[in-house]
Amino acid sequence: MLGLERGVVEEWLSEFKALPETQITSYAATLHRKKTLVPALYKVIQDPNNELLEPVCHQLFELYRSSEVRLKRFTLQFLPELIWVYLRLTASRDRQSNGCIEALLLGIYNLEIADKDGNNKVLSFTIPSLSKPSIYHEPSTIGSMALTEGALCQHDLIRVVYSDLHPQRETFTAQNRFEVLSFLMLCYNSAIVYMPASSYQSLCRMGSRLCVSGFPRQHEKRWKEHCGRVVLDPDFMVQLLTGVYYAIYNGQWDLGQEVLEDIIYRAQLELYSQPLLVANAMKNSLPFDAPDASQEGQKVLKVEVTPTVPRISRTAITTASIRRHRWRREGIKVRKDKTQLTVSVKRFVKKLENISDDEAQEILEEKNYVAALGICAQDPVGNGSSVSGGEVYSFQTPKRSSKMAELAAELAQTPGQSVAPDHSECPEKTAKTPQSSKRSGSNKVQQRLQSKKKEYVATTPYRLRKRLAAPDPYLESESEYSASCSEEEDEEDQKEVSTVLSGRKTPAKTKALSTPPPRNTLAKKIKEDKMSNLVEEYFEAHSSSKVLTSDRTLQKLRKRRLNQQTLHDILKKAPLAYAAEIKELNQQHESLFSKWMLQLHLGFNIVLYGLGSKRDLLEKFRTSVLQDSVHLVVNGYFPSITVRSILNSITEEVLDHIGTFRSPLDQLEFIIKRFKEDSSLELYVLIHNLDSQMLRGERSQQILAQLSSLPSIYLIASIDHINAPLMWDQAKLSLYNWLWYETTTFSPYVEETSYENSLLVQQSGSLALSSLTHVLRSLTLNARGIFRLLAQYQLENKDNPSYPGLSFQDFYQQCREAFLVNSDLTLRAQLTEFRDHKLIRTKRGADGVEYLLIPVDDSTLTDFLEKEDEDV
Amino acid sequence: QQVQEDLNKQLFDNLVSFLRRSHSEFQEKTTEWTCRVKSREIPTAALVLGVNVTDHDLTFRSLSEVLQNNITPYIALLEAKDCPGIKNLMQKLMGQLMNCYVDVDSLEDEDYVQVSQNRIRCSMTSLTNWYETVTKKTDSETPSKKRTSSSRDWQSPPVVVIFKDMESFTTKVLQDFIVISSQHIRELPLVLIFGIATSPMIIHSLLPHSVSSLLCIELFQSLSCKEHLSTIIDKLLLTAQFPFKLGEKVLQVLINIFLYHDLSVQNFIKGFQLCIVEHFYSQPLSVLCCQPVDAKKRVNSLSHDQCENIRKLPSFRRYVESQVSEKQIALLTADNFLKEITQKLLEDLRVYHENYVSVLRCLHVFTSSLPKYPLGKQIRELHCACLENRVWETEEYESSLQLARMLNKSDLVTMLQQCVEIFVSSSGNEFDKTVEKLKEFLTQFQKLEAEAFQERDVSVSSQKELQKKTDLYHLQKTLLELKESRRSKKLTKFEMLRFEVVDYIDSLVRNYLVPADHKTLHEIAYFNTASVLRGHLNAAPRIALHTALNNPYCYLKNQALKSDGGRISNKAPDICIVYKLHLECGRLINLVDWLEAFSTVVMAVEGPNADAASSDQVDDIIHARFIRAVSELELLGFIKPSKRKTDHVARLTWGGC
């Protein structure tokens, strides 16, 4: 940088500081006369390493903040250059050096989003209507014929579009960056008429560089500077186009066209529809050669400088102002509708078609609609007559109804039985009053039985005991259970559910229930009345979320927690009940193996369901039938299994393919292709627990379904979860082409549950505690202190279910107060240490703030703190 | 089993040809309609397909085949799941288009293949460029034979993009695609086809007006799935060509699944296939279920065991019992005689089927136009009714006959004509007489027409008389007379004839529509175990799980588990006990209480004499068993760990939430 320019800038910097308040206006008037200042400032901005950059940015912000509008504009003219430099630096990840530019941009943004009183600005734009005069037309000149009163009424709607509120921004993030920049471009565009030519050039330069840098097109440019690709946003590009449009017709013909091409190029690559639309329209409306702008300073697109209507809000003027073109020369034939480019794109699309087209289209659509209505109207009639109502509703399966009848029959028997308790083999069984049966009424039989069982078991919950007319002294003695009460609402819950179940089957049940005492039927009647407002009650019952259960915890039960190994050993020792019967069941299922094979070969896939582990069964199937064919066994219950690993094992081990795939879908395609090409390939896939946590996702199921639909892949899978069939929609079901087989084995889920993170099995707790103490013991005293602080804070907040963690800033504050750290960086270094040992977890909150959390449950944490206290 | 594979093939051929027929009309329409499309708009076809999503795949495949053969080689099929963003959409689109280009003339140039493999950055311009080069090439070279006719109408073949499931596309993607492509419509003649499952209004609710105004939409309605079903039933079940038949219950199950579950023709076919498989797998005599020529051969080569099998068939036994004793002995002892008889019976069965079908159609002609459709509107309902039992014994049949006796003449005549056509077209030679008879009826009706004039004269004159007489007595008298005559008029020639016709039809029905299970050897051709089918197609895993948990005796046949009157033994497997206990609880379950309860139950089984000293050891085992049972329940999805309270689990089913 030449000393001369440097001198100019320095002079400018010092000049303003010395300026008294009163002379600002006169200073503003003289500023533009300094011919050398502006180029010098551009040079400063372009060089991120210039030491003058920071004071210059500061100075520009000062100018912008001053009340003088001309000073504001002085700053604004550098905006394109600033944005370019900022985005370039961001893209190159050289964050350090653009701090001052970032601050300047944010400062301007935050100034612009609020009006003088500090309220947020809402920008509005009135969509012109035919009946009101606008810059496009005068209603009286359109002609009286078209504007009858009725027509006017229709067009009288004045639609105003409001912008969103722009929130204040503290920092740039990837999410808000282009929101801010688009708004800044909007501000620039609103003042574009006042900008000097150098600013237009800068704008064009910025546009073209942003669009092509890093892309192959950059090689065609004279500008060779190496730069990474800059991410762009469609809204920002539209704003950019608005500015460029003005620049094209105001002296920057060649530059402007170049940038237009570049923007189109970029928008095509990125497939941004809105910029494409605007840019194409601009391109199509360009005249053949440059407007005659030989006279310097003569503006081709002349814009009225002052708004005529004062109450139009400022940005409405900005968009409108560009539309207020008046063509001086007749040689320029820019069609009027093309000048509306700057209106929001949606409007634009409509305007582009001429109106008659539009109407014809509408009529056509209307016709379609009417036709469709006609079809619709015919259809229901056809349906209604072809399927009588009775048929539609008769879909209860016989199985189910018989079950319900069974229930009812059992119900009828129970009261009698409870009166005669002698049959029970248990001496503890107390006299059961019919009242209890009345209470549970025609609930599900399970519950009935359950209640009985419960009594016998002597762990009666409160609710049940309440039903008993004469509470049993024996039960009372074990009254530590009295705490374990469930509320009435629960009872209601269950009742409702049962009424839902029984509702459909009521007639059958009343027949069956004719024997029980009249009280029973009475209760039932009441319940039937309730059915009407059942829905309301359901929500009522579920609205209060309070559930009372006893407060006892496993820890108080002075029994050591078992770990996985001992559990396994103990269970091995315990004899398996009903081994003979289970074996018989299995043999039954095994007899089906040959049938399975046949059906697999015929293009069906087989799914097994029913209680009990089906792993052994499938293993047996594998060893007995699939011994000499290619097969793949997938242990779905394994917690880290993914579809990807399944696909990998197919490609690598079955197809002997080496190489990676970009996505599972690609991989799937490859597999499908291979299997289609080579018809001799056959693969049996056995999946244990198709419904496990990792495989039940929609995408994995989709992929598996597509895989299984291949004719030479035979899938046989098992499901256990009660809601497993909900995984599949019609499309997936038809891909899977399932045949269902009920294979209830009653064998324990040994393997499947060994990975389950069960509550009762002691697992991570001890591990976490020991690792905590170990790691911390190796750390410095200060580090321990830091961790203690975090732990204590977390324990204080343990009752807060939505506790997000401790924010970094607060944590830093606290640590400082405890004299644990002296700077931001040391704390961060410490936290990294913790994070590497998985002692803490960080996550970003909704507002972008970092929160710290110890991923250990509260009780472990308390234990830990206690231990620490002992040590100290 | 070869037979059965043949069947499958025929089945699919039928379906595909049917679909093709239904789509040829679309395609014709498309051609004429795209011609009048304005330049700015993208011609779009909205195809309303109905809710049977699973069948759409087949439909689209055949549609694109048709289009490919007739209009344009450039077709892309897009599915929503492949296109989460506009870029993926473009990529997919270009991949498909360029691939299909490669398919059309793969020998032409290898360099183009390379380009497409290089994954050029996809954009609309590269697409247009590609399109230009392709069309130029084909124009400059010899115009390909395929498109000689079509390329005259279109200077350049359009690019067809099919959106299979429009509803599941994200709106943003669709909008962007439409806006962008509308700018290129001049260079790239694009035609969009939307597959719509719900209603055509969805287009307007998905796309804002600014976008939908870029489209020139034409609506096409595809055939409803019910019609598909009836054609399939027509072609498969109601012909004598396929020896395999469905029993009444099975058919009912299949139709129910279709109507109440998925409305998917494909699934119906799948069920049908399954029936075939099951039948051939489970019924050893199903070898005889084949074309008559093969059947004869196979009957002759039957082994002794198979003969025994035949003898065991209940329908055959009935047949034997109805024979005279010598014949009985011969049937039960001599294999050769049995074979002869079997052949004869099989032939009988075949003839029965032929007759059955035509008479059924005939009956359907009569019943389908009756008010309220006592026997069902569709022929499948009638078919079911006939299979179920003797149709003429049902009330519905009675009432429909009653109604048929009140038909007017023109209807009756047309019906009779239809019947004649049916019988003539049917192959059975027994119907010659029937046809003659029906034709006779027709001629009689024509004769009646002439007589009708005279009758009308008579009635007119009587009315005139009525107007003449004025005094009360005479009026009464004539009214009575009129009444009398009206009563007697019932027996006019027309009515008598009508009765005759209906009676004749009735006799036909009684003769030919005998339910199949009254026929000897029907087991060979009919598949009747509906429960198996239902179990495999429409399974109820939840019910199975619940019965297993509630009533383990269903599966484990141990006397200790036998429950009388709903009482469940506490000897049940652990998981059952734990499940029962959990049913008693509300939304949250305290694990400690649960454990306590469990141990009490289990201890009671061991016997009350388990003293406190040994309880520690026992307790460990019980604890372990409890843990296992709980984690099994968790695996089954009944509970899940809850963080709301320490050592609690949340219940997920029935009263939980």
Side-chain angles (χ1 to χ4, degrees), chain A residues 45-153:
Chain A
I45 293 168
Q46 279 160 9
D47 180 12
N49 298 322
N50 198 317
E51 71 268 26
L52 279 177
L53 183 62
E54 200 165 339
V56 163
C57 285
H58 187 255
Q59 179 64 35
L60 285 174
F61 184 61
E62 283 298 321
L63 291 182
Y64 198 83
R65 215 165 53 170
S66 69
S67 50
E68 176 56 41
V69 72
R70 269 174 294 184
L71 290 181
K72 256 188 190 177
R73 285 174 198 152
F74 183 77
T75 302
L76 268 186
Q77 69 171 313
F78 297 105
L79 197 68
E81 200 64 36
L82 287 168
I83 291 177
W84 157 238
V85 172
Y86 169 70
L87 283 177
R88 191 190 57 179
L89 289 178
T90 320
S92 63
R93 309 201 176 278
D94 187 9
R95 297 283 164 79
Q96 298 310 94
S97 49
N98 68 358
C100 51
I101 297 178
E102 191 175 308
L104 173 61
L105 292 175
L106 272 176
I108 297 175
Y109 169 79
N110 285 333
L111 278 179
E112 278 295 326
I113 55 167
D115 56 17
K116 278 182 201 117
D117 311 325
N119 296 325
N120 267 346
K121 254 189 226 170
V122 176
L123 310 180
S124 63
F125 173 68
T126 310
I127 295 173
S129 81
L130 268 184
S131 59
K132 296 274 184 283
S134 78
I135 48 170
Y136 308 113
H137 74 289
E138 196 61 44
S140 55
T141 60
I142 289 179
S144 55
M145 285 299 280
L147 288 180
T148 58
E149 210 156 323
L152 269 181
C153 282

Side-chain angles (χ1 to χ4, degrees), chain B residues 261-272:
Chain B
H261 286 263
D262 46 14
L263 295 171
S264 156
V265 177
Q266 247 180 345
N267 280 3
F268 183 83
I269 292 172
K270 174 188 156 192
F272 190 74

Side-chain angles (χ1 to χ4, degrees), chain A residues 18 189 193 219 413 417 423 442 457 511 576-577 592 686 713 862:
Chain A
N189 287 338
V193 279
H219 301 308
Q413 285 176 13
Q417 215 183 39
H423 302 300
S442 53
V457 156
K511 262 180 228 160
L576 185 63
L592 293 171
L686 277 83
I713 286 187
T862 341

